[in-house]
């Protein structure tokens, strides 16, 4: 799967929600990324979920303009290429004690949330051989989720 294409598809789908929420979503990726070894439908769900969560949280602080930055980089892990996708927002942040709990089934802090989104997203990423985690979060400054996926080895 072309990872940048997959991100663009998710961004198009959430564009109206971002606009209504006064949140700027920015995609950054180098042009020569290898494809991800991933299922396009699963990848779409993961990207859509992470972007929507970021938009919902950044609008929780109406005193500043919400920003969601999605960036992709190619990294080497023990001689194997991986794609690292970062979803960074400037929302209220997540307390360190909750970094793993946010992936638990039924765990939600959104009013009316089901607590299934991140649980399903992590399960899908892991089923594709990758991992999903909170990379950093600072209270009142924002959170960064990272999805790492194996890439096709380019010869």
């Amino acid at each position: 799967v072309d990872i940048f294409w997959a991100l663009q598809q998710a961004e198009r789908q959430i564009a109206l929600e971002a606009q209504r929420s006064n949140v700027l979503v920015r995609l950054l990726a180098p042009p020569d990324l290898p494809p991800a070894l991933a299922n396009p439908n699963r990848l779409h769900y993961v990207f859509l979920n992470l972007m929507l969560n970021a938009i919902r949280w950044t609008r929780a602080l109406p005193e500043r303009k919400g920003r969601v930055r999605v960036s992709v980089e190619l990294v080497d892990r023990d001689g194997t290429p991986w794609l690292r996708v970062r979803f960074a927002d400037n929302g209220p942040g997540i307390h360190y004690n909750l970094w793993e709990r946010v992936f638990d089934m039924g765990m939600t802090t959104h009013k009316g949330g089901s607590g299934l989104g991140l649980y399903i997203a992590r399960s899908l990423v892991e089923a594709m051989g990758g991992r999903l985690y909170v990379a950093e979060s600072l209270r009142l400054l924002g959170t960064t989720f990272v999805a790492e996926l194996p890439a096709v080895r380019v010869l």
Side-chain angles (χ1 to χ4, degrees), residues 88-101:
D89 66 54
N90 67 339
I94 301 169
H95 190 282
Y96 180 76
N97 292 340
L98 299 176
W99 285 18
E100 274 303 308
R101 285 197 54 219

Side-chain angles (χ1 to χ4, degrees), residues 118-132:
L118 288 173
Y119 171 78
I120 292 170
R122 180 180 258 184
S123 297
L124 292 174
V125 169
E126 289 175 352
M128 293 183 283
R131 62 188 201 134
L132 177 62

Side-chain angles (χ1 to χ4, degrees), residues 12-88:
R12 282 190 194 110
Q13 199 167 348
I14 56 96
L16 186 57
E17 180 71 16
Q19 183 181 10
R20 286 180 184 155
S21 300
N22 195 29
V23 174
L24 174 67
V25 178
R26 190 163 170 217
L27 299 181
L28 303 165
D32 57 347
L33 291 170
L37 290 169
N39 175 292
N41 294 326
R42 290 176 178 181
L43 202 56
H44 182 74
Y45 175 88
V46 171
F47 291 168
L48 196 60
N49 179 269
L50 291 170
M51 287 183 193
L52 282 172
N53 280 349
I55 289 168
R56 289 178 183 136
W57 281 112
T58 56
R59 74 175 176 219
L61 297 174
E63 65 275 4
R64 65 178 177 220
K65 177 147 178 90
R67 295 190 189 334
V68 177
R69 181 175 184 244
V70 182
S71 60
V72 185
E73 65 180 327
L74 181 64
V75 296
D76 181 82
R77 286 179 44 195
D78 299 323
T80 303
W82 283 76
L83 293 162
R84 182 176 292 148
V85 187
R86 294 180 177 276
F87 297 82

Side-chain angles (χ1 to χ4, degrees), residues 106-123:
M107 168 60 172
T108 186
T109 53
H110 285 295
K111 184 178 180 183
S114 67
L116 294 175
L118 288 173
Y119 171 78
I120 292 170
R122 180 180 258 184
S123 297

